[in-house]
């Protein structure tokens, strides 16, 4: 927990990348019993991007990272820590962060993956901020990237229409600026109901076999209704607790960037916090739920659109499989 420390972790630059291929709701309706109307009204999603078959998570991460490094205006050799938040790594090992390290040409720099599903980037922000404040690292590259299309069951209309692929990145450093940068944070988890949202097959509990593949166990499974209810509650509480840590109220916020899972979840969060929808930055309609990429994609978009100015109070909040949740309050 960080409140008004004389030194703060700050975001020096952000970048993002989304694959070229746009898949509309109508495209799904050609092969599934679904419709543009159902998807739009139940989720707010109009389209999503899917990566090319050969475009792995590390490729998308690299493009977002290059943009973040350019925006930060630093020499990449200053980076001494790389963290990639993802639940769709290129492969179980080596980590996507190691593959990214090589692609960026940063030999010997510490690199690891962080798995907190859709909360991964915000979790990562809280972990990386702590590492930077400890003095162990000076400049970090944090990426949230997913190739969700690689784990979707395209025969399951209740899940496959919800997700998309993409990557977002941030370069972080430490500055002597009391009351600026990351001023409060919260990360939490409840692992008691993993079955609500999981990819059951492919790991050590259920290694891939012909039978597990036939039973489609290597695809994402979700109890959407339960996740919906939990998401509204845990994100609402996380926002309130994080604001309280730093002595702020919801009225003080200039912008909220919530995990982009479902517009109805975001609207319920707005009601719970009593914040006008104009103070939320959303791009769910364009990209669907890109899991760990969702918050950094929206953050980068908001910065580039001029929606975030120096001195603004920004709240990032996410939830995901685990269940995990995280929020970060930043004085820009
Ligand atoms: N097209 C048409 N009909 C559909 C579709 C579809 N794509 N999907 C489901 N339906 C049907 C269902 O089969 C059901 O039909 P039935 O009544 O005949 O059984 C009907 O629509 C209603 O289904 P519900 O599940 O009640 O629909 P709901 O309004 O709850 O919306 C949704 C479902 C969109 C999944 C919602 O529950 C949701 O968004 N939940 C949260 C999901 C989420 O945020 N997940 C991300 C977590 S983050 C992470 O870590 C990955």
């Amino acid at each position: 927990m960080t409140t008004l420390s004389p030194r703060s972790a700050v975001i020096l630059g952000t970048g993002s990348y989304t694959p070229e291929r746009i898949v509309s709701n109508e495209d799904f309706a050609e092969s599934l019993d679904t419709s543009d109307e159902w998807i739009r009204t139940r989720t707010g999603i109009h389209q999503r991007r899917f990566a090319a078959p050969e475009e792995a998570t590390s490729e998308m991460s690299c493009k977002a990272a290059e943009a973040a490094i350019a925006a930060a205006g630093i020499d990449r050799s200053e980076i001494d820590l790389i963290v990639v938040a993802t639940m769709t790594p290129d492969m179980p090992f080596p980590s996507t962060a190691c593959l990214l390290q090589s692609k960026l040409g940063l030999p010997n720099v510490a690199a690891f993956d962080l798995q907190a599903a859709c909360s991964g980037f915000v979790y990562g922000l809280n972990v990386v901020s702590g590492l930077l404040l400890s003095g162990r690292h000076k400049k970090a590259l944090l990426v949230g990237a997913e190739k969700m299309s690689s784990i979707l069951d395209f025969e399951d209309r209740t899940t496959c229409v919800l997700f998309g692929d993409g990557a977002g990145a941030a370069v972080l450093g430490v500055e002597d600026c009391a009351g600026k940068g990351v001023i409060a944070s919260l990360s939490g988890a409840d692992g008691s109901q993993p079955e609500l949202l999981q990819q059951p097959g492919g790991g050590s509990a259920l290694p891939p076999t012909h039978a597990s593949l036939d039973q489609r166990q290597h695809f994402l499974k979700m109890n959407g209704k339960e996740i919906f209810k939990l998401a509204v509650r845990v994100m609402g509480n996380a926002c309130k607790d994080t604001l309280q840590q730093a002595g702020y109220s919801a009225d003080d916020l200039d912008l909220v960037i919530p995990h982009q899972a479902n517009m109805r979840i975001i609207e319920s969060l707005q009601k719970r916090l009593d914040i006008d929808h104009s103070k939320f930055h959303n791009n769910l309609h364009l990209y669907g739920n890109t899991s760990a990429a969702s918050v950094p994609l929206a953050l980068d978009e908001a910065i580039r659109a001029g929606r975030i100015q120096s001195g603004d109070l920004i709240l990032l909040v996410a939830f995901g499989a685990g269940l995990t949740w995280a929020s970060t309050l930043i004085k820009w």
Side-chain angles (χ1 to χ4, degrees), residues 34 38 42 118 157 197 222 224-225 261-262 264-265 289 320-321:
T34 189
W38 192 97
R42 296 293 180 115
C118 297
R157 68 176 182 172
L197 181 49
M222 179 171 71
K225 264 198 192 334
N262 184 316
R264 290 185 297 138
I265 293 178
N289 179 350

Side-chain angles (χ1 to χ4, degrees), residues 28 32-35 38-39 41-43 87 116-119 146 148 151 156-163 197 220 222-229 231 259-265 289-292 319-324:
F28 276 101
L32 270 181
D33 182 13
T34 189
S35 64
W38 192 97
I39 301 170
T41 53
R42 296 293 180 115
T43 72
M87 62 180 198
C118 297
S119 313
E146 304 280 12
M148 294 303 291
I151 60 165
D156 177 7
R157 68 176 182 172
T158 67
T159 54
C160 71
V161 300
L162 304 175
F163 297 91
L197 181 49
L220 176 149
M222 179 171 71
N223 179 336
K225 264 198 192 334
E226 282 307 308
I227 290 285
F228 192 110
K229 285 187 270 180
H259 173 44
Q260 304 289 298
N262 184 316
M263 196 47 76
R264 290 185 297 138
I265 293 178
N289 179 350
T290 55
S291 183
F319 73 97
L323 203 68
T324 57

Side-chain angles (χ1 to χ4, degrees), residues 187-242:
S187 308
D190 175 1
S192 64
Q193 297 181 87
E195 68 286 352
L196 291 181
L197 181 49
Q198 62 176 352
Q199 183 187 357
S204 59
L206 187 57
T209 59
H210 288 296
S212 75
L213 293 176
D214 288 346
Q215 290 159 10
R216 311 181 80 73
Q217 295 294 318
H218 53 297
F219 291 129
L220 176 149
K221 316 272 181 207
M222 179 171 71
N223 179 336
K225 264 198 192 334
E226 282 307 308
I227 290 285
F228 192 110
K229 285 187 270 180
L230 286 166
V232 174
R233 185 163 54 79
V234 301
M235 284 205 294
N237 291 344
C239 289
K240 286 179 185 165
D241 292 350
T242 308

Side-chain angles (χ1 to χ4, degrees), residues 281 298-309:
H281 187 83
L299 175 65
D300 184 50
E301 193 180 83
I303 290 169
R304 287 173 197 269
R307 281 199 81 179
I308 299 180
Q309 302 298 328

